[in-house]
Amino acid sequence: MNALVHAPFLIIETGQPVPSMRRYGRFPHWVRVAAGLQADEAIVANVEQGDPLPEPVGFAGVIVTGSGAMVTDRAEWSERSAQWLGTAAHAGLPVLGICYGHQLLAHALGGEVGDNPAGREMGTVTIRLNPQASQDPLFSRLPDTFAAQATHLQTVRRAPEGATVLADSAQDDCHAFRWGNSAWGVQFHPEFAAHHMRGYVHARRDALRGEGLCPRTLAKNVTAAPQARTLLRRFTRHARQLQRR
C-alpha cells in the first residue's frame, strides 16, 4: 500500500504563463501548490518543449496544464500527448485536464474542440453545476454556483461520446466533464489565484479592448475563487483513493 500512497502525480506541461507572470513560476508549480503536493510528489513532462511521456503506469494520477496554444493547430507534441492521454484514460489512470488540458482530453477521447462561438471568456466567472454533478466524486460537495478564474478562446464544442457534462457558464456550455470513472476536464483554472487572473487580464488588455471588452472592469471584478481551487485537492485525494482499491 505504501508504494501506492507515495506514487507521484505526472504533470503534463503544455505551455508557459504569459511573460509578465513567469516570476511566479511555471504552470506545474502553480498546479502543485494548489493541489497541496510536495515537490517529490510530482514529476513534470514539458511536452511542448519535446519531453517524452513515460509509460502511463506507476503514477497516482495525471494533471494536464493550460497553454496559450490551440488544440486545433494539431501540433506534433499536442497530438502525441492526446494519443497518450487517450491510452491512459482508457486504462483507468486518473486524469484531470485544465483549460488546454481539458480541451486536449476531450479531443483525445473523440470530442470536438473549436473556437468558442461566444468569444473570449476571461476573468472571474460564475460556474453553474448541472444536476449530474451531484453524483460526481469531485463536484458533489460544491455549491450549485461558484466563482472560478477563466481565460480561453477555444472550447469543447462537443464532449466525448459517453461523457457527462458537469458544469457550464454564461459563455461556455461545457466547463467541466467526466469521462468514465476517473477522467475529468475543467475549462476554468483551479490553480489560478486572484493575482494570477488579474495578471492575465493585464497581459491581454490590448486584445480585450480590440474585442470591445474593458480590461479595467474585468480586473476590478476579479475575486477569490476558493471553491474552484479546492478541485485540485479533491482530484489528488480521489486519485489516491482509486489507486488503493
Side-chain angles (χ1 to χ4, degrees), residues 23 26 41 47-48 52 65 77-78 87 94 108 125 200 239 242:
R23 65 185 183 275
R26 290 156 43 191
E41 293 182 285
V47 292
E48 186 196 29
T65 74
W77 62 265
S78 183
T87 299
V125 303
Y200 260 77
L242 288 175

Side-chain angles (χ1 to χ4, degrees), residues 46-214:
N46 186 344
V47 292
E48 186 196 29
Q49 295 300 312
D51 283 358
L53 284 163
E55 290 296 316
V57 293
F59 295 102
V62 180
I63 302 171
V64 191
T65 74
S67 176
M70 300 291 181
V71 169
T72 53
D73 287 344
R74 304 288 191 266
E76 184 279 332
W77 62 265
S78 183
E79 292 293 280
R80 171 170 54 89
S81 301
Q83 184 175 11
W84 188 97
L85 281 172
T87 299
H90 278 94
L93 184 63
V95 175
L96 175 66
I98 298 171
C99 196
Y100 187 91
H102 159 77
Q103 297 167 14
L104 189 64
L105 179 62
H107 168 58
L109 296 171
E112 179 187 347
V113 175
D115 292 346
N116 189 343
R120 186 189 302 270
E121 185 177 45
M122 190 163 212
T124 304
V125 303
T126 299
I127 302 299
R128 307 176 298 206
L129 294 185
N130 296 337
Q132 296 90 331
S134 65
Q135 304 299 317
D136 185 79
L138 302 191
F139 285 85
S140 61
R141 295 185 181 180
L142 290 173
D144 290 342
T145 62
F146 58 90
Q149 316 299 358
T151 172
H152 64 111
L153 284 166
Q154 294 202 322
T155 184
V156 174
R157 300 187 65 161
R158 177 176 53 80
E161 183 176 353
T164 300
V165 177
L166 300 169
D168 63 16
S169 72
Q171 281 186 248
D172 196 308
D173 292 335
C174 184
H175 244 287
F177 73 87
R178 185 187 72 251
W179 183 90
N181 295 320
S182 56
W184 287 265
V186 293
Q187 183 61 67
F188 59 90
H189 282 273
E191 81 281 18
F192 272 31
H195 66 277
H196 296 131
M197 190 71 260
R198 291 191 189 97
Y200 260 77
V201 170
H202 181 74
R204 303 291 192 220
R205 62 192 182 279
D206 292 340
L208 288 164
R209 291 191 189 102
E211 295 163 9
L213 300 171
C214 178

Side-chain angles (χ1 to χ4, degrees), residues 17-26 29-30 195-196 198-199 202:
V18 291
S20 60
M21 299 301 291
R22 292 177 189 174
R23 65 185 183 275
Y24 297 111
R26 290 156 43 191
H29 174 71
W30 301 9
H195 66 277
H196 296 131
R198 291 191 189 97
H202 181 74

